[in-house]
Amino acid sequence: MNAGEEIRHALVFENASSGRVLLLLLALILAWWWYRRGLLHSRSTTRRLLLMSLRGVNLLLLAGLLLGPVLEKRQLARLTPRLVLLVDASASMNIATGQGPSRLQRVQDWLQENLQTAAAGSGLSWQLYSFDSQVAPAGSKSLRPPGNGQGSDILGALEEVVRQVPAGGGGELSAIVLVSDGADTGVLGGITGHQEVPEWLTRRLHSLGVVVNTVAVGAGEEFVDLSLGDIEFDPFAFVRNAVEIAVTVRAVGTGKLTVPVTLTRQGRVLDTSQVTVRPGRSGRAVLRFVPDEVGKFVFRVSLPQVAGDAIPGNNVRSFVTRVVRDKTRVLHVVGRPSWDVRFLRELLRRDQSIDLVSFYILRTTIDAPGVGEGELSLIPFPVSKLFGSELDTFDLVILQNFNHGPYSVGLYLGEIADYVRRGGALCMIGGDLSFAAGGYSGTVLEQVLPVRLQAGNDLRPEEFRPVPLADNALHPVLAVGREDAWQHLPSLGSYNRAAGLADTATSLLVHPFDRVAGGRAPLLAVRQVDRGRSAALLTDGSWRWRLAAASNPDSGRVYQRFWNNLIRWLIRDPAMEPLSLRADTPQVSAGRPIRLRLASSSLRAGPLELRLRNLDDGSLREASSLEVSGGQSELSLPPQPPGAYLVEVVKKPSGRVLAREVVVVEAADLEQRHAEPRADLLEMLARQTGGRFSSLEDARLEPGRLTMVQHTRLVARVAHPLLARGWLLGLLIALWALEWLLRRRWGYA
Amino acid sequence: MVAVMLFLAGWARAQPADQRVVFGLLPCAGANFDRPGGIRQLVWELVKRTSVEADADARPVDPADPQLFRTPFLLWSCPGPVATLSERQVAGLAAFLKNGGFLWADDPSASGTGPFADSLRQQLQRVLPGQQWRNVPVEHVLYKTFFLIKRPLGRRAGAPRQALVIDERLVVLFTGGDLLGAMSRDLTGQWDFNCQPAGEVQREESFRLAINIVMYSLCLDYKNDRVHLPFIMRRRRL
């Protein structure tokens, strides 16, 4: 016998197969049982026992004759153990604690030393793999895990390796050596090595069929990390409705801590909450805020850094939420009931998306109802509430033929102007109590109107039909149906003659002949005022467009469409924007391009520029010319570092922003949140699979330091039948004959 | 009184048309509308008591004329039967009512029945076929659009008040108690009719109801807004 060989003996049955043996045993038991039943009435116990013993021996001999027992001598050759070295290449391996090298660097040093030893005649055959969320083969000589993987699926990697290795040939796997920090982001992440191993995990580990030796990286390091875990947020929120964001905070390697969790938007602190966390456990904080404007915004949750914080990057996370309206809240203030009021009220009331709050002046200070207040249905005009504390709850304020003077609203004109600049919307509708006739000339409210006002009474009684200003005929507010719809509407009976158009305002409908400074007298003008919008409809006769629908079918639903358009434009409904920019996904992984879709409707915008700005530091990252030809187009911006970004489509050379979108580029977030070394998990894996656990410092790729299965190859085989068939057959016949004779003699049937 | 009339006429000319309530008169079959003094007095009281502006003179309108749509408030009140409408007039009036116009029919006979009421129902059956007359209960917003009215009256108490309704909006209101008669005054300032049975109290109630009708045509269900309800409920209990 040579070295590396061994002899093994084994009892085998030549004719046996599991099914056949089972059937045979069943038949023998039945036969013996039947035979015993027939002897139960025997008076002589001695004779009965003798006969039963004889029959039992006979049956066993018969079984031996049929199965053919053989003593086998095998000469086996021991195979070179085939092992897989599986090294963690995820991003958590790049973490360094203190001033020392990173986990990955330590692994690479260890590999350099141990792979040389392993290659220098340890008698082991190695196959090298790295893994993160997937498994990658790495040849057989060297292994340089990249350490940037966006996940660590240890169990998945073990199962994948077992699947891959037999396909490579070379016999069965003797063992796997897993080198990892144990910071699993897969199914093992929630399992601690000290608890009872779940049944499903035991089953999956046993089904691997291979021993797993585990080598823990960073097991002894003093890992200190305060991190944000899961953030529960809704991608949609309703404006002026409280929003709750639940944040999980985790501390590792610290004592009991109480830290502030802060929610910010564009640097503005929205809420702060104190959370207490105990070492190795999670704390939960709930942050609340009330969004005050619609749109898509980047919110940031942050924690302070603790001393020695290994991963400062996981103390901050950003997310995108779109703030939408549940209902458009409209304040409708009217100076006098009129037909214009009646038809606009009907439109507003019928719109299920509008929450209407109305205040009409039914009696002025000089009117005398002639009865006491108790016989009137009139209520006080809550000026300070509406234009003070409640003003920001409205999406749109409509002042319809309303003179502010008699009701002390003049005290709040500054509030209304600020409300518009902050993002609110204002629509002033004409009449003999509005614009200059309503005393707004020279007020702070005039500064946010789209028109400049005359002094004194500006009302002009005159029948005329307004016309769209050609340059702005495609403005979405004027999209009421047919292009010539405005020509078929009935004439208006009066208008408030403005002094001119305000800077940055856009005139949409104008008087057909009357000219004021800067062009034709505006009848409808709109304006973007800082973050808000305003509109001026300088007539009280738009109701004619509604009732006229009865006499002129061409008018159709112009009145309804016009007001719907104007309201939606004022409240910045994205559908009313000439350009819309949408990111494919609001959260983009680092290293991936930012993909967007640009949709334009009948735009004659001229030269445009696409700009990408970092919201964290305000820096301009990209700026490129853009061609818009209507319809939809796809845009792609190069990968960006982690952070929050604003993408804008800007009109050149004015710099006016036509569309914007926000995106968050996420870091290797999952890996950063699960970066704690998990020696307990690795120890449990080794225990469950029969392998050996060791720290990186103690681990060696040598046979004596690893647990493995020694696989062998059969060199020679010698079989010695235990029962010669000839004499076995003779003995069987003789015993049968003896049994038969005894039965005859003792009188059994 | 003459001075008042001159003031109203001059004031009306100074106001823009779209801010004024102008009563459009629908045609009668025989004798014409005979309550102009009622309209003038209603406008006088309306302007004096409320912020609403109105034109003192009612304007005859032809339901077939597109000018119909410049006068969203129509009045139909005849000493005898109303005029039989042509098909064009029927179509015009139907379009007017369905698209937001308002028609007040006041019965000068103060009975709620008779030639005016019968002919009115007959013509409106052609205008809005299938629509059923409904009583207007005292809980309706009509009775709280400006005054809180507990006893809707007219020149004669007890007459019906009914309406044709589209989408919960009163498009035609029929008052059978001769409201205009209760308000009618001659140029010397004398009331044209006595109110039965409660006299001047009943006349005041009639003014209030008429003003509420005008206010309803302009404000619809404004007083049903939830902001008003606590105040109105409290005053109703007083």
Side-chain angles (χ1 to χ4, degrees):
Chain A
M1 193 172 68
N2 300 321
E5 288 184 351
E6 63 183 34
I7 300 294
R8 288 186 191 168
H9 293 89
L11 176 66
V12 297
F13 295 93
E14 280 186 321
N15 302 322
S17 67
S18 56
R20 194 180 294 173
V21 169
L22 193 66
L23 280 174
L24 184 61
L25 285 175
L26 195 63
L28 291 175
I29 290 169
L30 278 172
W32 187 83
W33 178 81
W34 188 256
Y35 184 71
R36 175 181 167 275
R37 195 163 167 264
L39 297 175
L40 283 178
H41 303 294
S42 170
R43 286 189 296 268
S44 170
T45 304
T46 308
R47 291 178 181 178
R48 190 172 74 242
L49 289 175
L50 184 60
L51 288 174
M52 284 172 64
S53 301
L54 274 173
R55 178 57 66 96
V57 172
N58 282 335
L59 290 174
L60 285 175
L61 287 175
L62 181 63
L65 187 67
L66 292 173
L67 293 175
V70 171
L71 182 63
E72 199 171 82
K73 181 181 177 186
R74 295 174 181 172
Q75 187 178 356
L76 300 170
R78 284 193 289 270
L79 295 175
T80 303
R82 188 175 178 215
L83 293 94
V84 162
L85 181 61
L86 182 62
V87 179
D88 193 340
S90 65
S92 66
M93 294 291 286
N94 259 323
I95 292 168
T97 50
Q99 301 299 315
S102 68
R103 298 171 188 171
L104 187 66
Q105 185 58 52
R106 279 150 49 203
V107 168
Q108 284 172 343
D109 294 345
W110 179 84
L111 283 173
Q112 195 170 13
E113 179 186 338
N114 279 271
L115 281 178
Q116 285 175 352
T117 309
S122 65
L124 304 176
S125 167
W126 289 96
Q127 284 180 272
L128 311 183
Y129 290 82
S130 64
F131 78 98
D132 41 52
S133 55
Q134 293 181 324
V135 172
S140 59
K141 299 292 183 190
S142 66
L143 176 61
R144 293 193 66 79
N148 58 0
Q150 304 298 305
S152 311
D153 183 5
I154 292 175
L155 184 59
L158 292 171
E159 290 174 334
E160 182 60 25
V161 163
V162 169
R163 263 194 297 276
Q164 285 189 18
V165 169
E172 289 184 51
L173 200 56
S174 296
I176 295 173
V177 178
L178 171 69
V179 182
S180 171
D181 56 8
D184 187 88
T185 62
V187 293
L188 300 183
I191 293 172
T192 62
H194 312 301
Q195 70 186 45
E196 188 177 343
V197 181
E199 189 270 335
W200 64 266
L201 179 56
T202 305
R203 195 171 58 248
R204 283 178 71 174
L205 289 173
H206 287 173
S207 69
L208 288 174
V210 66
V211 171
V212 180
N213 297 274
T214 54
V215 178
V217 185
E221 70 186 31
E222 285 194 13
F223 182 77
V224 177
D225 186 40
L226 181 66
S227 64
L228 287 168
D230 293 333
I231 296 183
E232 296 169 22
F233 69 96
D234 198 323
F236 287 92
F238 292 112
V239 69
R240 279 182 287 281
N241 284 262
V243 175
E244 284 193 354
I245 295 162
V247 180
T248 305
V249 178
R250 203 153 185 277
V252 178
T254 66
K256 180 182 171 186
L257 278 179
T258 298
V259 291
V261 188
T262 306
L263 175 71
T264 57
R265 200 194 98 197
Q266 291 180 330
R268 184 160 61 103
V269 175
L270 301 176
D271 194 17
T272 300
S273 176
Q274 299 288 328
V275 61
T276 300
V277 278
R278 292 173 174 77
R281 301 183 68 176
S282 295
R284 184 179 164 89
V286 177
L287 298 159
R288 296 178 182 85
F289 74 102
V290 179
D292 57 359
E293 60 180 314
V294 295
K296 208 174 194 180
F297 303 104
V298 175
F299 296 90
R300 168 176 287 204
V301 179
S302 60
L303 292 170
Q305 287 184 33
V306 293
D309 202 328
I311 316 170
N314 63 17
N315 293 32
V316 178
R317 285 187 69 197
S318 298
F319 61 91
V320 176
T321 287
R322 181 183 290 275
V323 181
V324 297
R325 288 180 178 80
D326 52 350
K327 279 198 167 189
T328 303
R329 196 163 148 81
V330 176
L331 173 62
H332 187 202
V333 179
V334 168
R336 175 194 297 142
S338 68
W339 302 123
D340 210 29
V341 171
R342 177 244 179 271
F343 283 97
L344 183 56
R345 174 180 173 80
E346 186 176 46
L347 179 138
L348 296 171
R349 287 279 291 162
R350 283 189 174 178
D351 190 332
Q352 297 296 313
S353 68
I354 288 178
D355 178 16
L356 180 65
V357 176
S358 304
F359 278 92
Y360 301 170
I361 303 299
L362 301 184
R363 183 190 65 170
T364 67
T365 51
I366 59 171
D367 294 320
V371 298
E373 294 291 327
E375 296 183 76
L376 296 170
S377 63
L378 309 187
I379 65 170
F381 185 18
V383 175
S384 62
K385 190 175 181 185
L386 287 179
F387 297 110
S389 58
E390 298 279 317
L391 187 59
D392 279 332
T393 69
F394 295 104
D395 300 297
L396 169 63
V397 174
I398 300 175
L399 300 180
Q400 183 165 19
N401 195 34
F402 176 74
N403 53 336
H404 64 85
Y407 315 106
S408 303
V409 176
L411 298 171
Y412 296 91
L413 294 185
E415 301 280 339
I416 301 172
D418 289 343
Y419 154 81
V420 174
R421 293 191 182 96
R422 285 196 302 271
L426 171 68
C427 180
M428 186 175 281
I429 302 172
D432 62 323
L433 303 176
S434 194
F435 293 106
Y440 292 97
S441 297
T443 65
V444 288
L445 196 64
E446 184 187 1
Q447 295 169 11
V448 299
L449 290 176
V451 289
R452 290 184 290 109
L453 304 181
Q454 298 182 0
N457 187 358
D458 58 352
L459 194 70
R460 297 283 184 277
E462 178 186 324
E463 291 287 327
F464 72 102
R465 186 173 279 119
V467 294
L469 196 65
D471 287 350
N472 301 316
L474 294 176
H475 194 282
V477 170
L478 299 182
V480 293
R482 288 166 41 176
E483 283 187 16
D484 61 349
W486 298 100
Q487 298 173 18
H488 297 283
L489 291 176
S491 61
L492 301 175
S494 63
Y495 69 103
N496 295 80
R497 188 172 190 268
L501 205 60
D503 291 342
T504 72
T506 304
S507 191
L508 300 180
L509 291 175
V510 293
H511 192 284
F513 312 114
D514 188 16
R515 298 188 73 82
V516 294
R520 291 193 201 175
L523 188 87
L524 171 67
V526 294
R527 182 182 174 191
Q528 177 86 34
V529 188
D530 295 340
R531 292 162 61 194
R533 287 181 171 179
S534 65
L537 179 62
L538 295 104
T539 181
D540 58 355
S542 73
W543 67 273
R544 295 186 180 189
W545 299 339
R546 170 67 184 92
L547 198 53
S551 64
N552 182 359
D554 285 340
S555 299
R557 294 160 60 88
V558 169
Y559 177 81
Q560 186 173 346
R561 286 179 182 157
F562 163 71
W563 272 108
N564 283 341
N565 288 349
L566 185 57
I567 291 169
R568 288 166 64 199
W569 183 86
L570 281 165
I571 62 173
R572 299 188 300 281
D573 185 330
M576 295 300 291
E577 301 301 324
L579 272 181
S580 75
L581 189 63
R582 298 286 295 270
D584 282 2
T585 170
Q587 316 275 131
V588 182
S589 297
R592 296 183 184 278
I594 300 169
R595 298 188 189 282
L596 306 113
R597 290 174 196 277
L598 182 68
S600 63
S601 57
S602 308
L603 186 78
R604 292 186 296 200
L608 301 174
E609 191 172 69
L610 184 70
R611 293 178 183 169
L612 176 72
R613 197 177 292 279
N614 187 311
L615 281 173
D616 301 323
D617 58 15
S619 63
L620 185 66
R621 304 279 305 181
E622 294 281 336
S624 55
S625 295
L626 190 64
E627 292 292 329
V628 174
S629 56
Q632 274 213 355
S633 52
E634 294 183 0
L635 306 173
S636 180
L637 291 164
Q640 298 295 324
Y645 291 87
L646 172 68
V647 189
E648 292 177 322
V649 176
V650 178
K651 189 171 183 176
K652 290 198 298 185
S654 69
R656 185 177 152 213
V657 177
L658 299 178
R660 65 180 67 200
E661 174 67 305
V662 289
V663 291
V664 169
V665 177
E666 293 182 306
D669 192 50
L670 204 58
E671 279 292 304
Q672 291 207 347
R673 279 188 283 148
H674 298 83
E676 179 192 359
R678 294 287 311 281
D680 61 315
L681 183 67
L682 298 171
E683 194 170 0
M684 180 272 290
L685 288 175
R687 190 172 63 245
Q688 286 291 315
T689 58
R692 182 180 291 187
F693 166 79
S694 53
S695 67
L696 186 72
E697 292 70 24
D698 298 334
R700 295 289 179 271
L701 297 180
E702 298 166 2
R705 308 290 288 271
L706 300 170
T707 302
M708 67 187 84
V709 176
Q710 177 63 65
H711 296 292
T712 54
R713 178 171 56 82
L714 184 64
V715 177
R717 173 177 175 271
V718 181
H720 300 284
L722 292 177
L723 299 172
R725 294 203 174 187
W727 66 261
L728 186 63
L729 186 59
L731 180 62
L732 184 62
I733 291 169
L735 288 176
W736 274 106
L738 176 62
E739 183 195 343
W740 180 78
L741 283 171
L742 290 174
R743 286 173 64 87
R744 295 279 297 178
R745 187 177 183 88
W746 292 337
Y748 293 100
Chain B
M1 181 53 74
V2 174
V4 168
M5 295 300 143
L6 290 173
F7 164 76
L8 280 174
W11 170 85
R13 277 195 299 275
Q15 296 300 309
D18 288 321
Q19 287 299 317
R20 290 202 314 271
V21 174
V22 179
F23 295 95
L25 278 178
L26 289 178
C28 300
N32 284 331
F33 175 62
D34 62 352
R35 297 281 190 269
I39 290 290
R40 279 195 298 272
Q41 194 61 34
L42 169 59
V43 169
W44 168 251
E45 297 290 341
L46 186 67
V47 172
K48 184 182 76 173
R49 299 185 186 207
T50 77
S51 63
V52 174
E53 307 294 1
D55 197 335
D57 294 316
R59 180 189 302 167
V61 292
D62 178 356
D65 187 338
Q67 286 299 313
L68 174 76
F69 300 96
R70 298 289 179 91
T71 52
F73 195 115
L74 294 182
L75 177 63
W76 216 351
S77 178
C78 301
V82 302
T84 302
L85 301 177
S86 69
E87 289 305 317
R88 281 189 62 213
Q89 288 175 318
V90 166
L93 190 55
F96 171 87
L97 294 173
K98 289 174 181 172
N99 285 280
F102 180 77
L103 169 59
W104 175 25
D106 188 47
D107 186 357
S109 73
S111 64
T113 59
F116 171 74
D118 294 344
S119 60
L120 175 83
R121 292 175 195 277
Q122 195 176 17
Q123 293 305 311
L124 289 175
Q125 187 61 40
R126 295 173 61 206
V127 174
L128 299 172
Q131 289 288 337
Q132 300 296 316
W133 288 94
R134 300 185 199 173
N135 290 324
V136 184
V138 290
E139 298 81 22
H140 195 274
V141 71
L142 178 70
Y143 302 120
K144 57 186 176 187
T145 54
F146 190 82
F147 292 103
L148 297 174
I149 295 174
K150 297 170 186 169
R151 299 178 306 277
L153 299 171
R155 180 167 62 83
R156 192 171 292 166
R161 290 164 311 281
Q162 294 181 313
L164 296 177
V165 180
I166 296 177
D167 294 338
E168 300 182 20
R169 176 174 64 88
L170 307 186
V171 293
V172 179
L173 177 67
F174 173 74
T175 51
D178 190 17
L179 269 179
L180 287 169
M183 296 183 288
S184 186
R185 213 169 195 180
D186 65 19
L187 290 176
T188 65
Q190 300 298 310
W191 298 113
D192 288 332
F193 305 99
N194 291 326
C195 292
Q196 299 287 337
E200 295 312 303
V201 173
Q202 186 171 328
R203 196 184 308 280
E204 170 62 20
E205 292 287 335
S206 301
F207 274 115
R208 295 183 189 181
L209 177 57
I211 288 171
N212 271 25
I213 291 171
V214 176
M215 204 61 92
Y216 174 78
S217 72
L218 293 168
C219 301
L220 300 177
D221 59 350
Y222 167 58
K223 283 296 172 183
N224 273 346
D225 283 5
R226 63 177 178 272
V227 68
H228 299 279
L229 294 181
F231 291 88
I232 293 173
M233 294 285 283
R234 193 162 59 240
R235 288 172 188 172
R236 287 263 194 220
R237 283 197 295 269
L238 289 176

